[in-house]
């Protein structure tokens, strides 16, 4: 089953503040991080939900495998990572 696509504007509204959803994107894939106690308020250290965290992860103390424990619930529409241009 293909994942639905969301715009960056739609992702931004899932920031844990405006709605109950707490989503973040990494390399074009959107993850639901709501169940993580570290994202409960919509932020994790200096990172905020509702954003694409691809560039920010480069400075994180962990690898991209941190997303393996979260459910992928969508794709970022027109993502350069999914179009094969990156």
């Amino acid at each position: 089953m293909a994942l639905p696509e969301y715009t960056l504007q739609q992702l931004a509204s899932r920031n844990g503040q405006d709605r109950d959803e707490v989503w973040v994107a990494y390399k074009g894939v959107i993850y639901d991080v709501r169940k993580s106690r570290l994202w409960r308020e919509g932020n994790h250290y200096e990172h905020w939900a509702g954003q694409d965290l691809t560039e920010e992860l480069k400075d994180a103390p962990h690898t991209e495998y941190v997303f393996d424990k979260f459910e992928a619930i969508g794709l970022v529409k027109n993502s350069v990572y999914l179009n094969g241009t990156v």
Side-chain angles (χ1 to χ4, degrees):
M1 178 175 175
L3 294 173
E5 290 187 337
Y6 297 93
T7 65
L8 289 174
Q9 183 177 4
Q10 290 171 308
L11 172 64
S13 69
R14 274 64 175 205
N15 60 16
Q17 306 297 310
D18 303 324
R19 299 178 177 197
D20 290 336
E21 294 111 337
V22 184
W23 296 359
V24 298
Y26 178 72
K27 290 190 175 180
V29 179
I30 299 171
Y31 297 92
D32 182 349
V33 296
R34 155 184 53 172
K35 293 180 182 177
S36 170
R37 66 177 175 76
L38 299 174
W39 282 99
R40 196 165 290 145
E41 301 298 319
N43 68 324
H44 172 60
Y45 296 102
E46 71 274 2
H47 308 293
W48 292 91
Q51 298 182 21
D52 184 333
L53 301 179
T54 304
E55 291 300 314
E56 293 182 35
L57 193 71
K58 293 176 183 176
D59 296 325
H62 50 69
T63 66
E64 64 188 71
Y65 296 109
V66 70
F67 293 107
D68 289 349
K69 59 181 142 185
F70 300 111
E71 179 183 4
I73 49 89
L75 303 173
V76 176
K77 188 172 188 168
N78 300 321
S79 172
V80 296
Y81 295 98
L82 301 176
N83 294 335
T85 56
V86 172

